[in-house]
Amino acid sequence: MSGQSLLVPGEITPVRSVPGNIRRPEYVGKPAPTPYTGPEVQDSDTVERMRVAGRIAAQAMEEAAKHIAPGVTTDELDRVAHAFMVDHGAYPSTLGYRGFPKSLCTSINEVICHGIPDSTVLRDGDIVNLDVTAYINGVHGDNNATYLCGDVDEESRLLVERTRESLNRAIKAVRPGRQINVIGRVIESYAKRFGYGVVRDFTGHGINSSFHSGLIIPHYDSPHATTVMQPGMTFTIEPMLTLGTHEYDLWEDGWTVVTKDRKRTAQFEHTLMVTETGAEILTLP
């Protein structure tokens, strides 16, 4: 694995502005969102609006990813994604969510998730996850992907490739009538073939008008995930695989989650709707 030094927090720039005519999620300016009490199965109008939000989120992520290169700061990636979403009439869902100060998450190397964009400079050989969620017309679309920065070592490249494949396999396992735990069973069994850890304490989630509805999608075979999938149900699958332990530490910023052994980790995510025969990906560019 790459012998690069471990990450340290950088300097965070001021909060970026959003035009006043763009609708904010209800949680902006509050310490926490109002708990969601609506259904997990969405009507066709909600799903159509989620397709729009998902497409904008996917396009914003793609646009930011074009700028990944050695010497670029994670704050610059945030600037690009923020500008794209705002220019398309969407609010960056992470901005102000429980106080999060930026418009996407940038998680590098040993960071499992929720890395805050700052003055950190990407290095040749890094892997970096971009996690982008857009809010428009009252609904959210959430996706993420891990990208290679420059010349990345073989072990890390395989981790990224296989994490993407674990998401693809999990999506194929989605069927109405099956329990949610089939998703984690597929991911965990695939990851074990390579000796990877599967992060357990950060999961996929229900999503709709709520960023996180309360529905939990574990990425391991949980005996408690017995909710049965139904057509119209919307949620994310976002496996986080590691080269070592699934255990983690939390930085003092209260957000940045790093592997306890500081080995590398990768993640991929889509927002999905359960169909009559499988799953529709709502976060396609």
Side-chain angles (χ1 to χ4, degrees):
M1 192 186 74
S2 171
Q4 287 178 335
S5 58
L6 298 176
L7 292 169
V8 295
E11 295 295 321
I12 299 175
T13 58
V15 173
R16 303 187 197 281
S17 63
V18 178
N21 64 315
I22 292 179
R23 179 178 173 184
R24 273 78 168 147
E26 58 83 23
Y27 53 72
V28 174
K30 296 165 54 178
T34 302
Y36 178 73
T37 57
E40 299 296 347
V41 172
Q42 306 305 311
D43 60 29
S44 58
D45 173 69
T46 301
V47 171
E48 182 54 38
R49 287 183 284 127
M50 289 182 68
R51 289 189 184 103
V52 174
R55 182 168 63 248
I56 292 172
Q59 292 172 338
M61 185 174 73
E62 277 196 341
E63 194 62 32
K66 293 176 185 176
H67 296 260
I68 292 174
V72 174
T73 66
T74 54
D75 188 66
E76 173 64 8
L77 303 180
D78 179 80
R79 184 196 66 77
V80 172
H82 178 94
F84 187 96
M85 285 184 273
V86 167
D87 287 349
H88 287 77
Y91 186 92
S93 300
T94 59
L95 186 62
Y97 179 78
R98 297 183 181 271
F100 192 83
K102 290 294 175 181
S103 299
L104 81 165
C105 299
T106 51
S107 301
I108 304 171
N109 297 343
E110 70 269 20
V111 179
I112 294 171
C113 57
H114 304 159
I116 300 174
D118 59 18
S119 61
T120 298
V121 175
L122 295 177
R123 301 164 296 181
D124 186 57
D126 282 342
I127 60 174
V128 55
N129 179 275
L130 304 183
D131 193 337
V132 181
T133 310
Y135 178 80
I136 188 169
N137 297 326
V139 296
H140 301 268
D142 185 4
N143 68 162
N144 76 54
T146 303
Y147 298 90
L148 310 181
C149 181
D151 185 17
V152 174
D153 67 90
E154 177 75 1
E155 186 177 37
S156 298
R157 286 194 298 107
L158 284 172
L159 173 68
V160 171
E161 178 184 312
R162 290 163 176 168
T163 305
R164 181 190 292 111
E165 176 62 16
S166 76
L167 173 59
N168 292 339
R169 289 175 179 234
I171 292 171
K172 291 176 182 175
V174 172
R175 290 284 189 284
R178 290 181 175 176
Q179 293 184 346
I180 290 291
N181 58 13
V182 70
I183 294 168
R185 188 176 310 135
V186 166
I187 293 168
E188 187 174 41
S189 63
Y190 180 70
K192 280 183 174 180
R193 287 168 50 181
F194 310 103
Y196 295 155
V198 180
V199 173
R200 301 169 76 89
D201 292 332
F202 300 91
T203 67
H205 52 88
I207 184 170
N208 37 67
S209 60
S210 172
F211 194 172
H212 300 87
S213 72
L215 176 66
I216 301 299
I217 312 296
H219 301 123
Y220 63 98
D221 187 3
S222 169
H224 306 294
T226 57
T227 299
V228 174
M229 291 182 266
Q230 303 174 57
M233 192 178 276
T234 52
F235 53 79
T236 71
I237 303 176
E238 46 190 297
M240 292 150 266
L241 306 186
T242 70
L243 290 176
T245 182
H246 68 270
E247 297 180 344
Y248 67 94
D249 292 322
L250 185 66
W251 279 7
E252 290 184 3
D253 62 22
W255 283 104
T256 307
V257 181
V258 296
T259 54
K260 187 171 282 291
D261 57 13
R262 302 304 189 265
K263 291 186 177 181
R264 287 188 169 189
T265 176
Q267 181 184 17
F268 284 84
E269 173 187 22
H270 274 305
T271 294
L272 310 167
M273 178 188 69
V274 181
T275 69
E276 295 290 343
T277 58
E280 177 189 345
I281 299 173
L282 302 180
T283 38
L284 291 175

